[in-house]
Amino acid sequence: MCGIVGIVSSDECEQSEPLRRMLEAIEHRGPDGAGYVIGDTCRRGDSLRSLDIKGPKSRVALGHVRLRITGGPTGVQPFQTRDGRISLLHNGEIYNHRELIRSLDSSRPDDSGSDSEVVLRMIENVYGGNLAEAVERVLPRLDGVYALVISDTNQTIVARDRMGVRPLYYCAGPDRVGFASEKKPLFALEGNGAAIRRLAPGEMMILQDGSHEIRQFWKPDDIALTPVIHDRDTAIASYDRAIREAVRKRVDQHDHVGIIFSGGIDSVLIAYLVHQLGMPFTCYAAGREDASDIKKAQACAAEFGWDLMVRTLTTGEIAELIPEVMHVIEDHSLLQVEVAIPIFASVRMAQINGERVILTGQGADELFGGYSWYAAMVEREGYEVFVRHSFEDTLLLYRECLEREDKISMAHSVELRVPFLDPEVIAVAFRMSPELKIRRGGDRMGKLIHREYCRHIGIPREIAFRIKEAAQHGANIHDAIDELALTEGFTPERLDAIGYDPDMTVGELLGSCSRYGYRYGQEGMWRATPHVQCYLDAIADQLGMLPPPAHEYVSRAAKARQTMQS
């Protein structure tokens, strides 16, 4: 895990100062080393502060900060070929890098053991002068999660893994394109009003001669949606092979890992499989004092004899966390903030406890139909609609939660890994008949085959078939933020009186509950109420997070609210 920044300009220009600003904005992602390439100047150091960033006028400037998970002390990036012609930056993990290295000459004395260097050497082996062509040949062979930047004297290629587990943003102007692992460096480059876009999963962007072209190197069509597994036992056996391997390769070669733990079946399954591998681990849970997730986590940990660390949050502590969480996740919408807070507190505990790798159960609800609206969808519209929506929701996880949680973990120098989003687990899940996931006739739980698999491997029924509770409600954060808004004078009556519209300040609806799930249940439960969102908007405005139109709207609303209060 690391942080990447870069600038590609249409003409040669001074790049040192803007690159430095970008790297400083992302320094938190890489405490173990830093490096840069500007023109033919390449420098590396044990920290960003150890580098004096200077280089000639150039079209291309690339920077990297490193969190060391694999590879030794010589693995500080950028990596370059021996002739210095090709440079590579990598954020992520290539799980099959040992297998890939065996296909290469392993006798080179400059091998670092880093999975990043393996990617560079694979590209070098097939490079014939066209960098984009070489990268397109190598990417399909990578089993992992990654954001990559590869550059030669002619082209710069930026690529993101198939599920988008690792984030990558860019901002394209008339004279240059900037890209980074987070938005903060792009704001440092172009200002708060910069139009920032995501590079989508399975895409590569080719930068050349002042222009940029986006290509897909992987398409979702590669995942078959025609069910071929209709038998329960066959489904369980297929799932068993896929999920065990997904967990194994994410903990392999580590001495200890952490697990984000709510006591729900998804995190319990991950912990159960890690335990069966013999890997030492600690579970982490957080929420308000009376949170049901904490009670469930404690009961499960006691049941299995697992180590568990818990942080109980007071309402005052939640208020103190909100601005910090907003800054880290680069978002101020209610759903994103309230879900992020218990994860943020859990990851902070993991950091203090010395974890470098932490696992999460994200993705199981989308793959196996765990949300309440999926069952309602089956009743109203049939299985075909459910399959389509669950597939789309899985493909959108990169922006719904993965980017948020990557930023949280990297703010604490911890790498987050997501076993349920292993490509083989996804493929197996969508080969299963949807009837194995959700029953007709008022299914209240969903994820039937997932739960039956858990029973099959020995997890008690009362845990495997526990009804799901949304994270923000299970941790009791949702009610806490509502209480804080009311305490600060953000009441429904005042916001209704001034006609406050949260859609004016929130850039996009994230989470399937916000996008469409509310249509299948209680709308008020899943849509941000104006007075709570206005409270968060006001905090975001104080942090300077809002673009000019939203800032002006919030300022007018604040004046109107103050007039009413007086």
Side-chain angles (χ1 to χ4, degrees), residues 18-60:
L19 188 71
R20 181 190 61 78
R21 294 198 308 270
M22 295 179 77
L23 280 168
E24 288 176 347
I26 208 169
E27 184 177 5
H28 57 275
R29 293 181 69 98
D32 299 326
Y36 69 90
V37 174
I38 301 176
D40 57 3
T41 298
C42 181
R43 297 286 185 271
R44 306 173 187 89
D46 58 9
S47 69
L48 179 58
R49 298 181 188 277
S50 71
L51 291 177
D52 183 16
I53 301 177
K54 292 181 179 179
K57 288 185 177 182
S58 174
R59 288 188 176 89
V60 179

mmCIF file of all heavy atoms in Angstrom, residues 18-60:
data_model
loop_
_atom_site.group_PDB
_atom_site.id
_atom_site.type_symbol
_atom_site.label_atom_id
_atom_site.label_comp_id
_atom_site.label_asym_id
_atom_site.label_seq_id
_atom_site.Cartn_x
_atom_site.Cartn_y
_atom_site.Cartn_z
ATOM 1 N N PRO A 18 4.946 21.937 -7.986
ATOM 2 C CA PRO A 18 3.626 21.293 -7.916
ATOM 3 C C PRO A 18 3.687 19.836 -7.476
ATOM 4 O O PRO A 18 2.809 19.366 -6.764
ATOM 5 C CB PRO A 18 3.080 21.433 -9.338
ATOM 6 C CG PRO A 18 4.219 21.807 -10.197
ATOM 7 C CD PRO A 18 5.198 22.523 -9.320
ATOM 8 N N LEU A 19 4.741 19.110 -7.866
ATOM 9 C CA LEU A 19 4.864 17.717 -7.429
ATOM 10 C C LEU A 19 5.084 17.651 -5.916
ATOM 11 O O LEU A 19 4.521 16.790 -5.234
ATOM 12 C CB LEU A 19 6.003 17.024 -8.163
ATOM 13 C CG LEU A 19 6.086 15.513 -7.912
ATOM 14 C CD1 LEU A 19 4.925 14.785 -8.595
ATOM 15 C CD2 LEU A 19 7.420 14.941 -8.387
ATOM 16 N N ARG A 20 5.890 18.563 -5.397
ATOM 17 C CA ARG A 20 6.110 18.595 -3.951
ATOM 18 C C ARG A 20 4.797 18.827 -3.205
ATOM 19 O O ARG A 20 4.512 18.151 -2.204
ATOM 20 C CB ARG A 20 7.115 19.699 -3.591
ATOM 21 C CG ARG A 20 7.419 19.774 -2.097
ATOM 22 C CD ARG A 20 8.212 21.028 -1.762
ATOM 23 N NE ARG A 20 7.468 22.232 -2.091
ATOM 24 C CZ ARG A 20 6.481 22.733 -1.348
ATOM 25 N NH1 ARG A 20 6.104 22.122 -0.235
ATOM 26 N NH2 ARG A 20 5.859 23.835 -1.718
ATOM 27 N N ARG A 21 3.971 19.772 -3.671
ATOM 28 C CA ARG A 21 2.688 20.041 -3.013
ATOM 29 C C ARG A 21 1.800 18.797 -3.024
ATOM 30 O O ARG A 21 1.140 18.480 -2.030
ATOM 31 C CB ARG A 21 1.947 21.191 -3.703
ATOM 32 C CG ARG A 21 2.616 22.534 -3.596
ATOM 33 C CD ARG A 21 1.641 23.665 -3.897
ATOM 34 N NE ARG A 21 0.931 23.515 -5.147
ATOM 35 C CZ ARG A 21 1.346 23.986 -6.320
ATOM 36 N NH1 ARG A 21 2.518 24.619 -6.401
ATOM 37 N NH2 ARG A 21 0.629 23.829 -7.416
ATOM 38 N N MET A 22 1.794 18.109 -4.135
ATOM 39 C CA MET A 22 0.969 16.898 -4.234
ATOM 40 C C MET A 22 1.460 15.814 -3.274
ATOM 41 O O MET A 22 0.657 15.165 -2.596
ATOM 42 C CB MET A 22 0.964 16.376 -5.670
ATOM 43 C CG MET A 22 0.300 17.316 -6.673
ATOM 44 S SD MET A 22 0.361 16.656 -8.357
ATOM 45 C CE MET A 22 -0.943 15.410 -8.290
ATOM 46 N N LEU A 23 2.759 15.629 -3.207
ATOM 47 C CA LEU A 23 3.298 14.596 -2.318
ATOM 48 C C LEU A 23 3.041 14.932 -0.852
ATOM 49 O O LEU A 23 2.745 14.049 -0.040
ATOM 50 C CB LEU A 23 4.795 14.422 -2.568
ATOM 51 C CG LEU A 23 5.165 13.580 -3.785
ATOM 52 C CD1 LEU A 23 6.649 13.719 -4.108
ATOM 53 C CD2 LEU A 23 4.811 12.120 -3.569
ATOM 54 N N GLU A 24 3.147 16.186 -0.488
ATOM 55 C CA GLU A 24 2.877 16.581 0.899
ATOM 56 C C GLU A 24 1.427 16.316 1.271
ATOM 57 O O GLU A 24 1.122 15.975 2.420
ATOM 58 C CB GLU A 24 3.223 18.054 1.094
ATOM 59 C CG GLU A 24 4.719 18.320 1.102
ATOM 60 C CD GLU A 24 5.055 19.800 1.207
ATOM 61 O OE1 GLU A 24 4.128 20.639 1.027
ATOM 62 O OE2 GLU A 24 6.239 20.129 1.461
ATOM 63 N N ALA A 25 0.516 16.436 0.296
ATOM 64 C CA ALA A 25 -0.900 16.204 0.567
ATOM 65 C C ALA A 25 -1.231 14.731 0.747
ATOM 66 O O ALA A 25 -2.321 14.395 1.230
ATOM 67 C CB ALA A 25 -1.747 16.793 -0.567
ATOM 68 N N ILE A 26 -0.298 13.858 0.372
ATOM 69 C CA ILE A 26 -0.578 12.416 0.446
ATOM 70 C C ILE A 26 0.485 11.685 1.279
ATOM 71 O O ILE A 26 0.523 10.457 1.313
ATOM 72 C CB ILE A 26 -0.653 11.842 -0.986
ATOM 73 C CG1 ILE A 26 -1.563 10.625 -1.046
ATOM 74 C CG2 ILE A 26 0.727 11.541 -1.546
ATOM 75 C CD1 ILE A 26 -1.882 10.189 -2.450
ATOM 76 N N GLU A 27 1.291 12.446 1.999
ATOM 77 C CA GLU A 27 2.405 11.869 2.755
ATOM 78 C C GLU A 27 1.937 10.824 3.770
ATOM 79 O O GLU A 27 2.660 9.862 4.070
ATOM 80 C CB GLU A 27 3.158 12.990 3.476
ATOM 81 C CG GLU A 27 4.396 12.537 4.210
ATOM 82 C CD GLU A 27 5.139 13.699 4.857
ATOM 83 O OE1 GLU A 27 4.629 14.843 4.806
ATOM 84 O OE2 GLU A 27 6.222 13.459 5.412
ATOM 85 N N HIS A 28 0.714 10.986 4.300
ATOM 86 C CA HIS A 28 0.205 10.068 5.321
ATOM 87 C C HIS A 28 0.096 8.635 4.821
ATOM 88 O O HIS A 28 0.079 7.695 5.613
ATOM 89 C CB HIS A 28 -1.171 10.530 5.812
ATOM 90 C CG HIS A 28 -2.181 10.652 4.717
ATOM 91 N ND1 HIS A 28 -2.293 11.790 3.936
ATOM 92 C CD2 HIS A 28 -3.122 9.785 4.256
ATOM 93 C CE1 HIS A 28 -3.260 11.608 3.053
ATOM 94 N NE2 HIS A 28 -3.781 10.403 3.214
ATOM 95 N N ARG A 29 0.016 8.436 3.502
ATOM 96 C CA ARG A 29 -0.141 7.086 2.962
ATOM 97 C C ARG A 29 1.168 6.302 2.930
ATOM 98 O O ARG A 29 1.142 5.093 2.684
ATOM 99 C CB ARG A 29 -0.713 7.147 1.542
ATOM 100 C CG ARG A 29 -2.135 7.650 1.461
ATOM 101 C CD ARG A 29 -2.638 7.650 0.011
ATOM 102 N NE ARG A 29 -2.808 6.304 -0.489
ATOM 103 C CZ ARG A 29 -3.962 5.648 -0.522
ATOM 104 N NH1 ARG A 29 -5.062 6.220 -0.061
ATOM 105 N NH2 ARG A 29 -4.027 4.420 -1.005
ATOM 106 N N GLY A 30 2.296 6.970 3.157
ATOM 107 C CA GLY A 30 3.572 6.278 3.002
ATOM 108 C C GLY A 30 4.641 6.702 3.984
ATOM 109 O O GLY A 30 5.486 7.545 3.656
ATOM 110 N N PRO A 31 4.651 6.141 5.192
ATOM 111 C CA PRO A 31 5.676 6.519 6.172
ATOM 112 C C PRO A 31 7.022 5.823 5.981
ATOM 113 O O PRO A 31 7.978 6.151 6.677
ATOM 114 C CB PRO A 31 5.035 6.089 7.496
ATOM 115 C CG PRO A 31 4.197 4.905 7.132
ATOM 116 C CD PRO A 31 3.655 5.209 5.758
ATOM 117 N N ASP A 32 7.097 4.858 5.055
ATOM 118 C CA ASP A 32 8.287 4.003 4.971
ATOM 119 C C ASP A 32 9.221 4.347 3.807
ATOM 120 O O ASP A 32 10.191 3.619 3.566
ATOM 121 C CB ASP A 32 7.871 2.535 4.845
ATOM 122 C CG ASP A 32 7.064 2.059 6.043
ATOM 123 O OD1 ASP A 32 7.340 2.538 7.158
ATOM 124 O OD2 ASP A 32 6.157 1.236 5.867
ATOM 125 N N GLY A 33 8.960 5.421 3.100
ATOM 126 C CA GLY A 33 9.838 5.789 2.002
ATOM 127 C C GLY A 33 9.137 6.693 1.012
ATOM 128 O O GLY A 33 7.900 6.784 1.010
ATOM 129 N N ALA A 34 9.912 7.356 0.179
ATOM 130 C CA ALA A 34 9.345 8.251 -0.830
ATOM 131 C C ALA A 34 10.327 8.379 -1.986
ATOM 132 O O ALA A 34 11.540 8.158 -1.825
ATOM 133 C CB ALA A 34 9.044 9.630 -0.235
ATOM 134 N N GLY A 35 9.809 8.722 -3.157
ATOM 135 C CA GLY A 35 10.656 8.911 -4.320
ATOM 136 C C GLY A 35 9.939 9.658 -5.414
ATOM 137 O O GLY A 35 8.717 9.864 -5.347
ATOM 138 N N TYR A 36 10.692 10.085 -6.415
ATOM 139 C CA TYR A 36 10.088 10.819 -7.525
ATOM 140 C C TYR A 36 10.932 10.665 -8.782
ATOM 141 O O TYR A 36 12.120 10.310 -8.729
ATOM 142 C CB TYR A 36 9.919 12.302 -7.179
ATOM 143 C CG TYR A 36 11.210 13.083 -7.068
ATOM 144 C CD1 TYR A 36 11.766 13.729 -8.180
ATOM 145 C CD2 TYR A 36 11.884 13.178 -5.852
ATOM 146 C CE1 TYR A 36 12.947 14.448 -8.079
ATOM 147 C CE2 TYR A 36 13.065 13.890 -5.736
ATOM 148 C CZ TYR A 36 13.594 14.523 -6.855
ATOM 149 O OH TYR A 36 14.781 15.225 -6.761
ATOM 150 N N VAL A 37 10.287 10.920 -9.914
ATOM 151 C CA VAL A 37 10.954 11.005 -11.215
ATOM 152 C C VAL A 37 10.494 12.297 -11.877
ATOM 153 O O VAL A 37 9.285 12.532 -12.024
ATOM 154 C CB VAL A 37 10.596 9.823 -12.132
ATOM 155 C CG1 VAL A 37 11.191 10.031 -13.526
ATOM 156 C CG2 VAL A 37 11.090 8.517 -11.551
ATOM 157 N N ILE A 38 11.431 13.143 -12.233
ATOM 158 C CA ILE A 38 11.148 14.338 -13.037
ATOM 159 C C ILE A 38 12.147 14.338 -14.183
ATOM 160 O O ILE A 38 13.352 14.484 -13.964
ATOM 161 C CB ILE A 38 11.271 15.643 -12.224
ATOM 162 C CG1 ILE A 38 10.314 15.641 -11.032
ATOM 163 C CG2 ILE A 38 11.005 16.851 -13.118
ATOM 164 C CD1 ILE A 38 10.462 16.860 -10.129
ATOM 165 N N GLY A 39 11.652 14.138 -15.397
ATOM 166 C CA GLY A 39 12.554 14.017 -16.538
ATOM 167 C C GLY A 39 13.481 12.833 -16.348
ATOM 168 O O GLY A 39 13.040 11.712 -16.087
ATOM 169 N N ASP A 40 14.791 13.077 -16.421
ATOM 170 C CA ASP A 40 15.753 11.990 -16.228
ATOM 171 C C ASP A 40 16.309 11.970 -14.810
ATOM 172 O O ASP A 40 17.272 11.262 -14.526
ATOM 173 C CB ASP A 40 16.898 12.104 -17.243
ATOM 174 C CG ASP A 40 17.630 13.451 -17.167
ATOM 175 O OD1 ASP A 40 17.278 14.281 -16.286
ATOM 176 O OD2 ASP A 40 18.544 13.671 -17.977
ATOM 177 N N THR A 41 15.688 12.725 -13.914
ATOM 178 C CA THR A 41 16.113 12.744 -12.510
ATOM 179 C C THR A 41 15.228 11.820 -11.696
ATOM 180 O O THR A 41 14.004 11.978 -11.676
ATOM 181 C CB THR A 41 16.041 14.170 -11.931
ATOM 182 O OG1 THR A 41 16.927 15.023 -12.655
ATOM 183 C CG2 THR A 41 16.442 14.177 -10.457
ATOM 184 N N CYS A 42 15.826 10.856 -11.003
ATOM 185 C CA CYS A 42 15.092 9.927 -10.144
ATOM 186 C C CYS A 42 15.772 9.899 -8.781
ATOM 187 O O CYS A 42 16.984 9.673 -8.689
ATOM 188 C CB CYS A 42 15.076 8.520 -10.755
ATOM 189 S SG CYS A 42 14.171 7.293 -9.765
ATOM 190 N N ARG A 43 14.987 10.147 -7.741
ATOM 191 C CA ARG A 43 15.536 10.155 -6.386
ATOM 192 C C ARG A 43 14.627 9.351 -5.466
ATOM 193 O O ARG A 43 13.403 9.343 -5.616
ATOM 194 C CB ARG A 43 15.638 11.586 -5.846
ATOM 195 C CG ARG A 43 16.578 12.482 -6.633
ATOM 196 C CD ARG A 43 18.039 12.139 -6.345
ATOM 197 N NE ARG A 43 18.932 13.071 -7.015
ATOM 198 C CZ ARG A 43 19.404 12.924 -8.244
ATOM 199 N NH1 ARG A 43 19.066 11.859 -8.958
ATOM 200 N NH2 ARG A 43 20.214 13.822 -8.768
ATOM 201 N N ARG A 44 15.225 8.695 -4.463
ATOM 202 C CA ARG A 44 14.485 7.921 -3.471
ATOM 203 C C ARG A 44 15.056 8.210 -2.095
ATOM 204 O O ARG A 44 16.248 8.506 -1.960
ATOM 205 C CB ARG A 44 14.576 6.416 -3.753
ATOM 206 C CG ARG A 44 14.155 6.014 -5.156
ATOM 207 C CD ARG A 44 14.437 4.531 -5.403
ATOM 208 N NE ARG A 44 14.187 4.165 -6.798
ATOM 209 C CZ ARG A 44 15.087 4.233 -7.764
ATOM 210 N NH1 ARG A 44 16.317 4.677 -7.479
ATOM 211 N NH2 ARG A 44 14.787 3.874 -8.995
ATOM 212 N N GLY A 45 14.196 8.088 -1.067
ATOM 213 C CA GLY A 45 14.651 8.303 0.291
ATOM 214 C C GLY A 45 13.810 7.528 1.278
ATOM 215 O O GLY A 45 12.788 6.928 0.920
ATOM 216 N N ASP A 46 14.229 7.546 2.556
ATOM 217 C CA ASP A 46 13.483 6.805 3.563
ATOM 218 C C ASP A 46 12.265 7.551 4.072
ATOM 219 O O ASP A 46 11.490 7.029 4.865
ATOM 220 C CB ASP A 46 14.396 6.409 4.727
ATOM 221 C CG ASP A 46 15.056 7.614 5.392
ATOM 222 O OD1 ASP A 46 14.693 8.765 5.077
ATOM 223 O OD2 ASP A 46 15.936 7.394 6.240
ATOM 224 N N SER A 47 12.079 8.796 3.606
ATOM 225 C CA SER A 47 10.884 9.570 3.935
ATOM 226 C C SER A 47 10.780 10.716 2.952
ATOM 227 O O SER A 47 11.758 11.079 2.275
ATOM 228 C CB SER A 47 10.943 10.114 5.366
ATOM 229 O OG SER A 47 11.935 11.119 5.470
ATOM 230 N N LEU A 48 9.601 11.318 2.879
ATOM 231 C CA LEU A 48 9.426 12.458 1.986
ATOM 232 C C LEU A 48 10.290 13.633 2.439
ATOM 233 O O LEU A 48 10.862 14.353 1.613
ATOM 234 C CB LEU A 48 7.945 12.857 1.949
ATOM 235 C CG LEU A 48 7.590 14.059 1.074
ATOM 236 C CD1 LEU A 48 7.999 13.836 -0.378
ATOM 237 C CD2 LEU A 48 6.086 14.351 1.158
ATOM 238 N N ARG A 49 10.406 13.806 3.741
ATOM 239 C CA ARG A 49 11.164 14.948 4.268
ATOM 240 C C ARG A 49 12.652 14.837 3.967
ATOM 241 O O ARG A 49 13.382 15.839 4.014
ATOM 242 C CB ARG A 49 10.926 15.074 5.769
ATOM 243 C CG ARG A 49 9.460 15.331 6.098
ATOM 244 C CD ARG A 49 9.215 15.475 7.598
ATOM 245 N NE ARG A 49 7.777 15.528 7.863
ATOM 246 C CZ ARG A 49 7.041 16.620 7.760
ATOM 247 N NH1 ARG A 49 7.613 17.757 7.381
ATOM 248 N NH2 ARG A 49 5.744 16.597 8.013
ATOM 249 N N SER A 50 13.107 13.624 3.664
ATOM 250 C CA SER A 50 14.531 13.447 3.351
ATOM 251 C C SER A 50 14.860 13.825 1.913
ATOM 252 O O SER A 50 16.039 13.865 1.540
ATOM 253 C CB SER A 50 14.944 11.998 3.605
ATOM 254 O OG SER A 50 14.368 11.128 2.628
ATOM 255 N N LEU A 51 13.834 14.087 1.094
ATOM 256 C CA LEU A 51 14.042 14.367 -0.327
ATOM 257 C C LEU A 51 14.014 15.863 -0.613
ATOM 258 O O LEU A 51 13.114 16.580 -0.150
ATOM 259 C CB LEU A 51 12.954 13.695 -1.167
ATOM 260 C CG LEU A 51 12.959 12.177 -1.251
ATOM 261 C CD1 LEU A 51 11.760 11.703 -2.057
ATOM 262 C CD2 LEU A 51 14.246 11.664 -1.870
ATOM 263 N N ASP A 52 14.968 16.309 -1.370
ATOM 264 C CA ASP A 52 14.938 17.664 -1.927
ATOM 265 C C ASP A 52 14.439 17.525 -3.361
ATOM 266 O O ASP A 52 15.168 17.077 -4.244
ATOM 267 C CB ASP A 52 16.345 18.268 -1.902
ATOM 268 C CG ASP A 52 16.355 19.711 -2.400
ATOM 269 O OD1 ASP A 52 15.264 20.311 -2.473
ATOM 270 O OD2 ASP A 52 17.447 20.220 -2.717
ATOM 271 N N ILE A 53 13.179 17.846 -3.567
ATOM 272 C CA ILE A 53 12.540 17.570 -4.858
ATOM 273 C C ILE A 53 12.956 18.633 -5.871
ATOM 274 O O ILE A 53 12.490 19.776 -5.837
ATOM 275 C CB ILE A 53 11.009 17.504 -4.712
ATOM 276 C CG1 ILE A 53 10.634 16.409 -3.709
ATOM 277 C CG2 ILE A 53 10.346 17.238 -6.072
ATOM 278 C CD1 ILE A 53 9.156 16.307 -3.430
ATOM 279 N N LYS A 54 13.831 18.244 -6.771
ATOM 280 C CA LYS A 54 14.320 19.130 -7.820
ATOM 281 C C LYS A 54 14.512 18.325 -9.092
ATOM 282 O O LYS A 54 14.875 17.155 -9.043
ATOM 283 C CB LYS A 54 15.649 19.778 -7.432
ATOM 284 C CG LYS A 54 15.551 20.781 -6.294
ATOM 285 C CD LYS A 54 16.906 21.392 -6.003
ATOM 286 C CE LYS A 54 16.824 22.415 -4.876
ATOM 287 N NZ LYS A 54 18.156 23.000 -4.563
ATOM 288 N N GLY A 55 14.260 18.951 -10.207
ATOM 289 C CA GLY A 55 14.464 18.278 -11.480
ATOM 290 C C GLY A 55 14.401 19.272 -12.624
ATOM 291 O O GLY A 55 13.992 20.427 -12.445
ATOM 292 N N PRO A 56 14.798 18.858 -13.806
ATOM 293 C CA PRO A 56 14.763 19.749 -14.965
ATOM 294 C C PRO A 56 13.333 19.994 -15.435
ATOM 295 O O PRO A 56 12.390 19.325 -14.996
ATOM 296 C CB PRO A 56 15.551 18.956 -16.012
ATOM 297 C CG PRO A 56 15.277 17.520 -15.652
ATOM 298 C CD PRO A 56 15.221 17.493 -14.157
ATOM 299 N N LYS A 57 13.168 20.961 -16.315
ATOM 300 C CA LYS A 57 11.867 21.122 -16.962
ATOM 301 C C LYS A 57 11.521 19.825 -17.690
ATOM 302 O O LYS A 57 12.376 19.219 -18.334
ATOM 303 C CB LYS A 57 11.891 22.288 -17.944
ATOM 304 C CG LYS A 57 11.934 23.645 -17.268
ATOM 305 C CD LYS A 57 11.828 24.765 -18.292
ATOM 306 C CE LYS A 57 11.789 26.115 -17.594
ATOM 307 N NZ LYS A 57 11.649 27.234 -18.565
ATOM 308 N N SER A 58 10.265 19.420 -17.546
ATOM 309 C CA SER A 58 9.881 18.128 -18.097
ATOM 310 C C SER A 58 8.387 18.093 -18.340
ATOM 311 O O SER A 58 7.629 18.857 -17.734
ATOM 312 C CB SER A 58 10.285 17.004 -17.123
ATOM 313 O OG SER A 58 9.811 15.758 -17.567
ATOM 314 N N ARG A 59 7.965 17.195 -19.220
ATOM 315 C CA ARG A 59 6.535 16.965 -19.412
ATOM 316 C C ARG A 59 5.960 16.091 -18.300
ATOM 317 O O ARG A 59 4.789 16.208 -17.967
ATOM 318 C CB ARG A 59 6.272 16.295 -20.765
ATOM 319 C CG ARG A 59 6.462 17.187 -21.976
ATOM 320 C CD ARG A 59 5.977 16.482 -23.243
ATOM 321 N NE ARG A 59 6.060 17.344 -24.406
ATOM 322 C CZ ARG A 59 7.127 17.439 -25.191
ATOM 323 N NH1 ARG A 59 8.196 16.702 -24.918
ATOM 324 N NH2 ARG A 59 7.126 18.249 -26.217
ATOM 325 N N VAL A 60 6.788 15.191 -17.751
ATOM 326 C CA VAL A 60 6.287 14.181 -16.826
ATOM 327 C C VAL A 60 6.970 14.312 -15.463
ATOM 328 O O VAL A 60 8.201 14.435 -15.389
ATOM 329 C CB VAL A 60 6.523 12.754 -17.381
ATOM 330 C CG1 VAL A 60 6.021 11.697 -16.402
ATOM 331 C CG2 VAL A 60 5.838 12.593 -18.737
#
